[in-house]
Short mmCIF file of all heavy atoms in Angstrom, two decimals:
data_model
loop_
_atom_site.label_atom_id
_atom_site.label_comp_id
_atom_site.label_asym_id
_atom_site.label_seq_id
_atom_site.Cartn_x
_atom_site.Cartn_y
_atom_site.Cartn_z
N MET A 19 3.73 6.66 7.68
CA MET A 19 5.00 6.37 8.30
C MET A 19 5.99 5.98 7.22
O MET A 19 5.60 5.56 6.13
CB MET A 19 4.84 5.27 9.33
CG MET A 19 4.57 3.88 8.75
SD MET A 19 4.18 2.63 9.95
CE MET A 19 2.44 2.92 10.14
N ASP A 20 7.23 6.12 7.47
CA ASP A 20 8.23 5.70 6.50
C ASP A 20 8.64 4.26 6.80
O ASP A 20 8.07 3.62 7.68
CB ASP A 20 9.44 6.64 6.50
CG ASP A 20 10.20 6.64 7.82
OD1 ASP A 20 9.99 5.74 8.65
OD2 ASP A 20 11.00 7.56 8.03
N GLY A 21 9.60 3.75 6.07
CA GLY A 21 10.01 2.36 6.22
C GLY A 21 10.46 2.00 7.63
O GLY A 21 10.39 0.84 8.03
N ALA A 22 10.92 2.99 8.40
CA ALA A 22 11.37 2.71 9.77
C ALA A 22 10.22 2.22 10.64
O ALA A 22 10.43 1.51 11.62
CB ALA A 22 12.00 3.95 10.38
N GLY A 23 8.99 2.58 10.28
CA GLY A 23 7.84 2.13 11.04
C GLY A 23 7.21 0.87 10.50
O GLY A 23 6.18 0.43 11.00
N ALA A 24 7.81 0.30 9.49
CA ALA A 24 7.21 -0.85 8.80
C ALA A 24 7.51 -2.15 9.53
O ALA A 24 8.23 -3.00 9.05
CB ALA A 24 7.70 -0.92 7.36
N THR A 25 6.96 -2.29 10.72
CA THR A 25 7.13 -3.54 11.45
C THR A 25 5.77 -4.23 11.56
O THR A 25 4.73 -3.57 11.60
CB THR A 25 7.67 -3.30 12.87
OG1 THR A 25 6.69 -2.56 13.62
CG2 THR A 25 8.99 -2.53 12.84
N HIS A 26 5.79 -5.53 11.62
CA HIS A 26 4.54 -6.27 11.78
C HIS A 26 3.83 -5.85 13.06
O HIS A 26 2.61 -5.69 13.08
CB HIS A 26 4.80 -7.78 11.80
CG HIS A 26 5.16 -8.33 10.47
ND1 HIS A 26 4.23 -8.67 9.52
CD2 HIS A 26 6.37 -8.60 9.92
CE1 HIS A 26 4.83 -9.12 8.45
NE2 HIS A 26 6.14 -9.09 8.66
N GLY A 27 4.60 -5.66 14.13
CA GLY A 27 4.00 -5.29 15.41
C GLY A 27 3.24 -3.98 15.34
O GLY A 27 2.12 -3.87 15.86
N LEU A 28 3.82 -2.97 14.70
CA LEU A 28 3.14 -1.68 14.60
C LEU A 28 1.91 -1.78 13.71
O LEU A 28 0.84 -1.28 14.05
CB LEU A 28 4.08 -0.61 14.06
CG LEU A 28 3.45 0.77 13.90
CD1 LEU A 28 2.87 1.29 15.21
CD2 LEU A 28 4.47 1.75 13.35
N HIS A 29 2.03 -2.46 12.59
CA HIS A 29 0.88 -2.63 11.71
C HIS A 29 -0.25 -3.38 12.41
O HIS A 29 -1.43 -3.02 12.29
CB HIS A 29 1.27 -3.36 10.43
CG HIS A 29 2.09 -2.53 9.51
ND1 HIS A 29 2.98 -3.08 8.62
CD2 HIS A 29 2.17 -1.19 9.33
CE1 HIS A 29 3.56 -2.11 7.94
NE2 HIS A 29 3.09 -0.96 8.35
N GLU A 30 0.08 -4.41 13.16
CA GLU A 30 -0.94 -5.16 13.89
C GLU A 30 -1.59 -4.29 14.95
O GLU A 30 -2.81 -4.34 15.14
CB GLU A 30 -0.32 -6.42 14.50
CG GLU A 30 0.07 -7.44 13.45
CD GLU A 30 1.01 -8.51 13.97
OE1 GLU A 30 1.36 -8.51 15.18
OE2 GLU A 30 1.42 -9.35 13.15
N HIS A 31 -0.79 -3.47 15.64
CA HIS A 31 -1.34 -2.57 16.65
C HIS A 31 -2.33 -1.59 16.02
O HIS A 31 -3.43 -1.40 16.53
CB HIS A 31 -0.21 -1.81 17.34
CG HIS A 31 -0.70 -0.71 18.23
ND1 HIS A 31 -1.32 -0.94 19.44
CD2 HIS A 31 -0.68 0.64 18.06
CE1 HIS A 31 -1.67 0.21 19.98
NE2 HIS A 31 -1.28 1.19 19.17
N LEU A 32 -1.94 -0.97 14.91
CA LEU A 32 -2.82 -0.02 14.23
C LEU A 32 -4.10 -0.71 13.75
O LEU A 32 -5.20 -0.17 13.90
CB LEU A 32 -2.09 0.65 13.07
CG LEU A 32 -0.95 1.58 13.47
CD1 LEU A 32 -0.15 2.00 12.25
CD2 LEU A 32 -1.47 2.78 14.24
N ARG A 33 -3.96 -1.91 13.18
CA ARG A 33 -5.13 -2.66 12.73
C ARG A 33 -6.06 -2.96 13.90
O ARG A 33 -7.28 -2.84 13.79
CB ARG A 33 -4.68 -3.96 12.07
CG ARG A 33 -5.83 -4.80 11.52
CD ARG A 33 -5.47 -6.25 11.35
NE ARG A 33 -5.10 -6.84 12.64
CZ ARG A 33 -4.13 -7.71 12.82
NH1 ARG A 33 -3.41 -8.14 11.80
NH2 ARG A 33 -3.86 -8.20 14.00
N ASP A 34 -5.48 -3.31 15.03
CA ASP A 34 -6.29 -3.68 16.20
C ASP A 34 -6.99 -2.48 16.84
O ASP A 34 -7.87 -2.66 17.67
CB ASP A 34 -5.42 -4.40 17.24
CG ASP A 34 -4.97 -5.77 16.76
OD1 ASP A 34 -5.54 -6.29 15.77
OD2 ASP A 34 -4.02 -6.32 17.36
N LEU A 35 -6.63 -1.26 16.47
CA LEU A 35 -7.32 -0.07 16.96
C LEU A 35 -8.69 0.11 16.30
O LEU A 35 -9.52 0.87 16.79
CB LEU A 35 -6.48 1.19 16.72
CG LEU A 35 -5.20 1.32 17.53
CD1 LEU A 35 -4.40 2.52 17.05
CD2 LEU A 35 -5.51 1.43 19.01
N ASN A 36 -8.92 -0.61 15.20
CA ASN A 36 -10.21 -0.51 14.51
C ASN A 36 -11.30 -1.13 15.36
O ASN A 36 -11.11 -2.15 16.01
CB ASN A 36 -10.15 -1.24 13.16
CG ASN A 36 -9.28 -0.51 12.17
OD1 ASN A 36 -9.48 0.66 11.90
ND2 ASN A 36 -8.30 -1.22 11.61
N ASN A 37 -12.46 -0.48 15.34
CA ASN A 37 -13.64 -1.04 15.99
C ASN A 37 -14.88 -0.54 15.26
O ASN A 37 -14.76 0.07 14.20
CB ASN A 37 -13.66 -0.70 17.50
CG ASN A 37 -13.68 0.78 17.76
OD1 ASN A 37 -14.37 1.54 17.08
ND2 ASN A 37 -12.94 1.20 18.77
N MET A 38 -16.05 -0.80 15.78
CA MET A 38 -17.29 -0.41 15.11
C MET A 38 -17.42 1.10 14.95
O MET A 38 -18.09 1.57 14.06
CB MET A 38 -18.50 -0.95 15.88
CG MET A 38 -18.59 -2.46 15.87
SD MET A 38 -18.91 -3.13 14.23
CE MET A 38 -20.60 -2.66 14.02
N ARG A 39 -16.77 1.88 15.81
CA ARG A 39 -16.92 3.33 15.78
C ARG A 39 -15.71 4.04 15.17
O ARG A 39 -15.74 5.24 14.95
CB ARG A 39 -17.13 3.84 17.20
CG ARG A 39 -18.42 3.28 17.81
CD ARG A 39 -18.60 3.72 19.21
NE ARG A 39 -18.75 5.17 19.23
CZ ARG A 39 -18.68 5.90 20.32
NH1 ARG A 39 -18.47 5.32 21.49
NH2 ARG A 39 -18.83 7.20 20.29
N ARG A 40 -14.64 3.32 14.92
CA ARG A 40 -13.41 3.98 14.45
C ARG A 40 -12.69 3.07 13.46
O ARG A 40 -12.52 1.88 13.69
CB ARG A 40 -12.50 4.26 15.65
CG ARG A 40 -11.12 4.76 15.25
CD ARG A 40 -10.20 4.98 16.45
NE ARG A 40 -10.03 3.76 17.20
CZ ARG A 40 -10.00 3.71 18.53
NH1 ARG A 40 -10.14 4.80 19.25
NH2 ARG A 40 -9.84 2.57 19.15
N THR A 41 -12.24 3.68 12.37
CA THR A 41 -11.41 2.99 11.40
C THR A 41 -10.07 3.72 11.34
O THR A 41 -10.04 4.93 11.09
CB THR A 41 -12.06 2.99 10.00
OG1 THR A 41 -13.32 2.33 10.08
CG2 THR A 41 -11.17 2.29 8.99
N VAL A 42 -9.02 3.01 11.59
CA VAL A 42 -7.68 3.58 11.54
C VAL A 42 -7.08 3.25 10.18
O VAL A 42 -7.02 2.08 9.80
CB VAL A 42 -6.79 3.02 12.67
CG1 VAL A 42 -5.37 3.55 12.57
CG2 VAL A 42 -7.40 3.35 14.02
N CYS A 43 -6.68 4.28 9.45
CA CYS A 43 -6.04 4.10 8.15
C CYS A 43 -4.59 4.53 8.25
O CYS A 43 -4.28 5.49 8.96
CB CYS A 43 -6.75 4.93 7.09
SG CYS A 43 -8.48 4.48 6.85
N PHE A 44 -3.72 3.83 7.55
CA PHE A 44 -2.30 4.20 7.57
C PHE A 44 -1.64 3.70 6.30
O PHE A 44 -2.16 2.82 5.62
CB PHE A 44 -1.59 3.63 8.80
CG PHE A 44 -1.67 2.13 8.91
CD1 PHE A 44 -0.65 1.34 8.40
CD2 PHE A 44 -2.75 1.51 9.52
CE1 PHE A 44 -0.72 -0.05 8.50
CE2 PHE A 44 -2.82 0.13 9.62
CZ PHE A 44 -1.80 -0.64 9.11
N THR A 45 -0.53 4.29 5.98
CA THR A 45 0.28 3.83 4.86
C THR A 45 1.72 3.73 5.31
O THR A 45 2.14 4.40 6.25
CB THR A 45 0.22 4.79 3.65
OG1 THR A 45 0.74 6.06 4.05
CG2 THR A 45 -1.19 4.94 3.13
N THR A 46 2.45 2.87 4.66
CA THR A 46 3.87 2.70 4.93
C THR A 46 4.62 2.82 3.62
O THR A 46 4.21 2.24 2.62
CB THR A 46 4.15 1.31 5.54
OG1 THR A 46 3.36 1.17 6.72
CG2 THR A 46 5.60 1.14 5.89
N GLY A 47 5.67 3.59 3.61
CA GLY A 47 6.46 3.75 2.40
C GLY A 47 7.92 3.44 2.64
O GLY A 47 8.37 3.34 3.79
N TRP A 48 8.66 3.26 1.57
CA TRP A 48 10.09 3.01 1.66
C TRP A 48 10.73 3.47 0.36
O TRP A 48 10.06 3.71 -0.63
CB TRP A 48 10.38 1.53 1.93
CG TRP A 48 10.00 0.62 0.79
CD1 TRP A 48 10.81 0.20 -0.23
CD2 TRP A 48 8.72 0.02 0.55
NE1 TRP A 48 10.12 -0.62 -1.09
CE2 TRP A 48 8.82 -0.74 -0.64
CE3 TRP A 48 7.50 0.07 1.21
CZ2 TRP A 48 7.75 -1.44 -1.16
CZ3 TRP A 48 6.44 -0.63 0.67
CH2 TRP A 48 6.58 -1.39 -0.48
N THR A 49 12.03 3.58 0.38
CA THR A 49 12.76 3.93 -0.83
C THR A 49 12.84 2.71 -1.73
O THR A 49 13.26 1.64 -1.30
CB THR A 49 14.18 4.41 -0.47
OG1 THR A 49 14.07 5.54 0.40
CG2 THR A 49 14.96 4.80 -1.72
N ILE A 50 12.41 2.87 -2.97
CA ILE A 50 12.44 1.76 -3.92
C ILE A 50 13.85 1.64 -4.49
O ILE A 50 14.43 2.60 -4.99
CB ILE A 50 11.42 1.97 -5.05
CG1 ILE A 50 10.01 1.94 -4.45
CG2 ILE A 50 11.56 0.91 -6.14
CD1 ILE A 50 8.91 2.15 -5.46
N THR A 51 14.40 0.44 -4.39
CA THR A 51 15.75 0.17 -4.88
C THR A 51 15.70 -0.31 -6.33
O THR A 51 14.63 -0.61 -6.86
CB THR A 51 16.41 -0.92 -4.02
OG1 THR A 51 15.69 -2.14 -4.21
CG2 THR A 51 16.44 -0.55 -2.55
N ASP A 52 16.87 -0.42 -6.96
CA ASP A 52 16.94 -0.98 -8.31
C ASP A 52 16.37 -2.40 -8.35
O ASP A 52 15.70 -2.78 -9.30
CB ASP A 52 18.39 -1.00 -8.81
CG ASP A 52 18.92 0.39 -9.10
OD1 ASP A 52 18.10 1.32 -9.32
OD2 ASP A 52 20.15 0.56 -9.13
N GLU A 53 16.63 -3.16 -7.31
CA GLU A 53 16.11 -4.53 -7.23
C GLU A 53 14.58 -4.52 -7.19
O GLU A 53 13.92 -5.34 -7.84
CB GLU A 53 16.67 -5.22 -5.99
CG GLU A 53 16.60 -6.72 -6.05
CD GLU A 53 17.41 -7.36 -4.94
OE1 GLU A 53 18.62 -7.06 -4.83
OE2 GLU A 53 16.81 -8.16 -4.20
N ASP A 54 14.01 -3.59 -6.41
CA ASP A 54 12.55 -3.44 -6.37
C ASP A 54 12.01 -3.11 -7.76
O ASP A 54 11.02 -3.69 -8.21
CB ASP A 54 12.13 -2.33 -5.41
CG ASP A 54 12.46 -2.61 -3.96
OD1 ASP A 54 12.43 -3.79 -3.56
OD2 ASP A 54 12.74 -1.65 -3.22
N GLU A 55 12.64 -2.15 -8.43
CA GLU A 55 12.20 -1.73 -9.77
C GLU A 55 12.21 -2.89 -10.74
O GLU A 55 11.28 -3.06 -11.54
CB GLU A 55 13.11 -0.61 -10.30
CG GLU A 55 12.96 0.70 -9.58
CD GLU A 55 11.72 1.48 -9.97
OE1 GLU A 55 10.97 1.04 -10.86
OE2 GLU A 55 11.50 2.54 -9.37
N LYS A 56 13.23 -3.73 -10.68
CA LYS A 56 13.33 -4.89 -11.57
C LYS A 56 12.19 -5.87 -11.30
O LYS A 56 11.60 -6.43 -12.22
CB LYS A 56 14.68 -5.57 -11.42
CG LYS A 56 15.83 -4.75 -11.99
CD LYS A 56 17.16 -5.41 -11.69
CE LYS A 56 18.31 -4.50 -12.10
NZ LYS A 56 19.61 -5.02 -11.66
N ALA A 57 11.90 -6.09 -10.02
CA ALA A 57 10.82 -7.01 -9.65
C ALA A 57 9.47 -6.47 -10.12
O ALA A 57 8.64 -7.22 -10.66
CB ALA A 57 10.81 -7.24 -8.14
N ILE A 58 9.25 -5.17 -9.96
CA ILE A 58 8.00 -4.55 -10.41
C ILE A 58 7.86 -4.66 -11.92
O ILE A 58 6.78 -4.95 -12.44
CB ILE A 58 7.94 -3.08 -9.93
CG1 ILE A 58 7.81 -3.02 -8.41
CG2 ILE A 58 6.80 -2.33 -10.62
CD1 ILE A 58 8.05 -1.65 -7.81
N ALA A 59 8.95 -4.45 -12.64
CA ALA A 59 8.93 -4.50 -14.11
C ALA A 59 8.57 -5.89 -14.62
O ALA A 59 8.07 -6.03 -15.74
CB ALA A 59 10.28 -4.06 -14.66
N ARG A 60 8.80 -6.93 -13.83
CA ARG A 60 8.49 -8.30 -14.25
C ARG A 60 7.01 -8.65 -14.10
O ARG A 60 6.56 -9.68 -14.60
CB ARG A 60 9.33 -9.30 -13.46
CG ARG A 60 10.80 -9.31 -13.87
CD ARG A 60 11.55 -10.51 -13.31
NE ARG A 60 11.46 -10.64 -11.87
CZ ARG A 60 12.36 -10.17 -10.99
NH1 ARG A 60 13.42 -9.53 -11.42
NH2 ARG A 60 12.19 -10.34 -9.70
N LEU A 61 6.24 -7.79 -13.42
CA LEU A 61 4.81 -8.08 -13.26
C LEU A 61 4.11 -8.00 -14.61
O LEU A 61 4.33 -7.06 -15.37
CB LEU A 61 4.17 -7.07 -12.30
CG LEU A 61 4.56 -7.21 -10.84
CD1 LEU A 61 4.04 -6.02 -10.04
CD2 LEU A 61 4.01 -8.50 -10.26
N PRO A 62 3.25 -8.97 -14.91
CA PRO A 62 2.53 -8.92 -16.19
C PRO A 62 1.49 -7.81 -16.18
O PRO A 62 1.01 -7.38 -15.12
CB PRO A 62 1.86 -10.30 -16.26
CG PRO A 62 1.74 -10.74 -14.84
CD PRO A 62 2.91 -10.14 -14.11
N GLU A 63 1.12 -7.34 -17.36
CA GLU A 63 0.15 -6.26 -17.50
C GLU A 63 -1.16 -6.57 -16.78
O GLU A 63 -1.76 -5.69 -16.17
CB GLU A 63 -0.11 -6.00 -18.99
CG GLU A 63 -0.96 -4.79 -19.27
CD GLU A 63 -0.30 -3.47 -18.89
OE1 GLU A 63 0.94 -3.38 -18.99
OE2 GLU A 63 -1.03 -2.55 -18.50
N ARG A 64 -1.59 -7.83 -16.79
CA ARG A 64 -2.86 -8.21 -16.16
C ARG A 64 -2.82 -8.08 -14.64
O ARG A 64 -3.85 -8.15 -13.97
CB ARG A 64 -3.26 -9.62 -16.57
CG ARG A 64 -2.41 -10.72 -16.00
CD ARG A 64 -2.80 -12.07 -16.58
NE ARG A 64 -2.19 -13.23 -16.01
CZ ARG A 64 -0.90 -13.44 -15.79
NH1 ARG A 64 -0.02 -12.52 -16.04
NH2 ARG A 64 -0.46 -14.58 -15.28
N ALA A 65 -1.63 -7.91 -14.07
CA ALA A 65 -1.50 -7.80 -12.61
C ALA A 65 -1.81 -6.39 -12.10
O ALA A 65 -1.90 -6.19 -10.90
CB ALA A 65 -0.08 -8.19 -12.19
N TRP A 66 -1.99 -5.43 -13.01
CA TRP A 66 -2.16 -4.04 -12.61
C TRP A 66 -3.61 -3.60 -12.67
O TRP A 66 -4.36 -4.03 -13.53
CB TRP A 66 -1.31 -3.14 -13.51
CG TRP A 66 0.15 -3.40 -13.34
CD1 TRP A 66 0.89 -4.33 -14.01
CD2 TRP A 66 1.04 -2.78 -12.42
NE1 TRP A 66 2.19 -4.31 -13.56
CE2 TRP A 66 2.31 -3.36 -12.59
CE3 TRP A 66 0.89 -1.77 -11.48
CZ2 TRP A 66 3.41 -2.97 -11.85
CZ3 TRP A 66 2.00 -1.38 -10.74
CH2 TRP A 66 3.23 -1.99 -10.93
N GLU A 67 -3.99 -2.74 -11.74
CA GLU A 67 -5.31 -2.12 -11.71
C GLU A 67 -5.12 -0.61 -11.62
O GLU A 67 -4.10 -0.14 -11.12
CB GLU A 67 -6.10 -2.58 -10.48
CG GLU A 67 -6.47 -4.04 -10.49
CD GLU A 67 -7.32 -4.40 -9.28
OE1 GLU A 67 -7.75 -3.49 -8.55
OE2 GLU A 67 -7.53 -5.59 -9.07
N THR A 68 -6.10 0.14 -12.07
CA THR A 68 -6.05 1.59 -11.96
C THR A 68 -6.10 1.98 -10.48
O THR A 68 -6.89 1.43 -9.72
CB THR A 68 -7.21 2.23 -12.72
OG1 THR A 68 -7.14 1.81 -14.07
CG2 THR A 68 -7.16 3.74 -12.65
N SER A 69 -5.27 2.92 -10.10
CA SER A 69 -5.26 3.39 -8.71
C SER A 69 -6.43 4.32 -8.45
O SER A 69 -6.94 4.98 -9.36
CB SER A 69 -3.96 4.16 -8.43
OG SER A 69 -2.86 3.31 -8.52
N LEU A 70 -6.85 4.37 -7.20
CA LEU A 70 -7.94 5.25 -6.79
C LEU A 70 -7.42 6.31 -5.83
O LEU A 70 -6.51 6.04 -5.04
CB LEU A 70 -9.04 4.44 -6.09
CG LEU A 70 -9.70 3.34 -6.90
CD1 LEU A 70 -10.72 2.60 -6.02
CD2 LEU A 70 -10.36 3.89 -8.14
N LYS A 71 -8.02 7.47 -5.89
CA LYS A 71 -7.73 8.52 -4.92
C LYS A 71 -8.48 8.19 -3.64
O LYS A 71 -9.33 7.30 -3.61
CB LYS A 71 -8.21 9.88 -5.46
CG LYS A 71 -7.48 10.33 -6.70
CD LYS A 71 -8.04 11.66 -7.16
CE LYS A 71 -7.37 12.09 -8.46
NZ LYS A 71 -7.93 13.37 -8.94
N GLN A 72 -8.19 8.93 -2.56
CA GLN A 72 -8.87 8.67 -1.28
C GLN A 72 -10.37 8.80 -1.39
O GLN A 72 -11.11 8.11 -0.69
CB GLN A 72 -8.36 9.63 -0.21
CG GLN A 72 -7.03 9.21 0.38
CD GLN A 72 -6.64 10.09 1.54
OE1 GLN A 72 -6.70 11.31 1.44
NE2 GLN A 72 -6.25 9.49 2.63
N ASN A 73 -10.86 9.67 -2.28
CA ASN A 73 -12.31 9.86 -2.41
C ASN A 73 -12.94 8.81 -3.32
O ASN A 73 -14.13 8.87 -3.59
CB ASN A 73 -12.63 11.27 -2.91
CG ASN A 73 -12.16 11.52 -4.33
OD1 ASN A 73 -11.68 10.63 -5.03
ND2 ASN A 73 -12.27 12.77 -4.76
N GLY A 74 -12.15 7.86 -3.83
CA GLY A 74 -12.67 6.78 -4.65
C GLY A 74 -12.66 7.05 -6.15
O GLY A 74 -12.97 6.16 -6.93
N SER A 75 -12.28 8.26 -6.56
CA SER A 75 -12.21 8.56 -7.99
C SER A 75 -10.91 8.01 -8.58
O SER A 75 -9.96 7.74 -7.85
CB SER A 75 -12.31 10.08 -8.24
OG SER A 75 -11.21 10.75 -7.67
N LEU A 76 -10.90 7.83 -9.90
CA LEU A 76 -9.73 7.25 -10.56
C LEU A 76 -8.53 8.18 -10.51
O LEU A 76 -8.67 9.40 -10.68
CB LEU A 76 -10.05 6.94 -12.03
CG LEU A 76 -11.08 5.84 -12.27
CD1 LEU A 76 -11.31 5.68 -13.77
CD2 LEU A 76 -10.63 4.53 -11.66
N GLN A 77 -7.38 7.64 -10.27
CA GLN A 77 -6.11 8.37 -10.30
C GLN A 77 -5.55 8.21 -11.71
O GLN A 77 -5.01 7.17 -12.04
CB GLN A 77 -5.14 7.80 -9.25
CG GLN A 77 -3.78 8.43 -9.24
CD GLN A 77 -3.82 9.83 -8.64
OE1 GLN A 77 -4.55 10.09 -7.70
NE2 GLN A 77 -3.04 10.72 -9.20
N GLU A 78 -5.73 9.22 -12.53
CA GLU A 78 -5.31 9.14 -13.93
C GLU A 78 -3.80 8.90 -14.05
O GLU A 78 -3.01 9.50 -13.32
CB GLU A 78 -5.69 10.42 -14.67
CG GLU A 78 -7.19 10.64 -14.79
CD GLU A 78 -7.89 9.54 -15.56
OE1 GLU A 78 -7.31 8.99 -16.52
OE2 GLU A 78 -9.04 9.21 -15.18
N GLY A 79 -3.42 8.02 -14.97
CA GLY A 79 -2.00 7.77 -15.24
C GLY A 79 -1.29 7.00 -14.16
O GLY A 79 -0.07 6.97 -14.13
N SER A 80 -2.01 6.36 -13.28
CA SER A 80 -1.39 5.64 -12.17
C SER A 80 -2.06 4.29 -12.05
O SER A 80 -3.27 4.15 -12.24
CB SER A 80 -1.55 6.43 -10.88
OG SER A 80 -0.94 5.76 -9.81
N SER A 81 -1.29 3.27 -11.73
CA SER A 81 -1.86 1.95 -11.51
C SER A 81 -1.09 1.26 -10.39
O SER A 81 -0.03 1.69 -9.96
CB SER A 81 -1.82 1.12 -12.79
OG SER A 81 -0.50 1.01 -13.26
N TRP A 82 -1.66 0.17 -9.91
CA TRP A 82 -1.13 -0.54 -8.75
C TRP A 82 -1.33 -2.03 -8.96
O TRP A 82 -2.35 -2.44 -9.49
CB TRP A 82 -1.90 -0.08 -7.51
CG TRP A 82 -1.32 -0.54 -6.23
CD1 TRP A 82 -1.78 -1.54 -5.44
CD2 TRP A 82 -0.15 -0.04 -5.58
NE1 TRP A 82 -0.98 -1.69 -4.35
CE2 TRP A 82 0.03 -0.79 -4.41
CE3 TRP A 82 0.77 0.95 -5.89
CZ2 TRP A 82 1.09 -0.56 -3.55
CZ3 TRP A 82 1.81 1.16 -5.01
CH2 TRP A 82 1.96 0.42 -3.86
N PRO A 83 -0.37 -2.85 -8.53
CA PRO A 83 -0.57 -4.31 -8.68
C PRO A 83 -1.81 -4.75 -7.92
O PRO A 83 -2.06 -4.29 -6.81
CB PRO A 83 0.69 -4.92 -8.06
CG PRO A 83 1.69 -3.83 -8.04
CD PRO A 83 0.92 -2.54 -7.92
N SER A 84 -2.60 -5.62 -8.51
CA SER A 84 -3.81 -6.10 -7.85
C SER A 84 -3.51 -7.30 -6.97
O SER A 84 -2.48 -7.87 -7.02
CB SER A 84 -4.87 -6.46 -8.88
OG SER A 84 -4.38 -7.38 -9.81
#
């Protein structure tokens, strides 16, 4: 979903659909602003981890805050 779907209520609903027989996965994205970029740039190097692909393998050249 895009940022328009990024509400606590929707995320909670999707999370609550999980049960022993079903796992619901979802992602939410938004447009990163200059302010976001500045905040990300302030994160220390130790805050980052290597990103993983959906199959669990390493995503080369990509990292994500831990």
Side-chain angles (χ1 to χ4, degrees):
M19 71 187 85
D20 64 15
T25 65
H26 288 277
L28 179 57
H29 288 153
E30 291 164 2
H31 170 73
L32 292 170
R33 182 201 61 218
D34 292 345
L35 292 173
N36 290 306
N37 60 41
M38 293 294 287
R39 298 177 63 193
R40 172 183 59 220
T41 300
V42 176
C43 298
F44 58 94
T45 62
T46 303
W48 67 92
T49 301
I50 295 179
T51 65
D52 290 338
E53 200 169 305
D54 295 327
E55 291 283 357
K56 290 175 187 172
I58 292 167
R60 287 193 305 266
L61 289 171
E63 187 66 32
R64 70 186 187 310
W66 295 88
E67 293 183 9
T68 302
S69 295
L70 300 177
K71 296 179 183 178
Q72 280 186 312
N73 66 7
S75 64
L76 293 179
Q77 177 73 37
E78 294 299 324
S80 181
S81 57
W82 190 256
S84 55

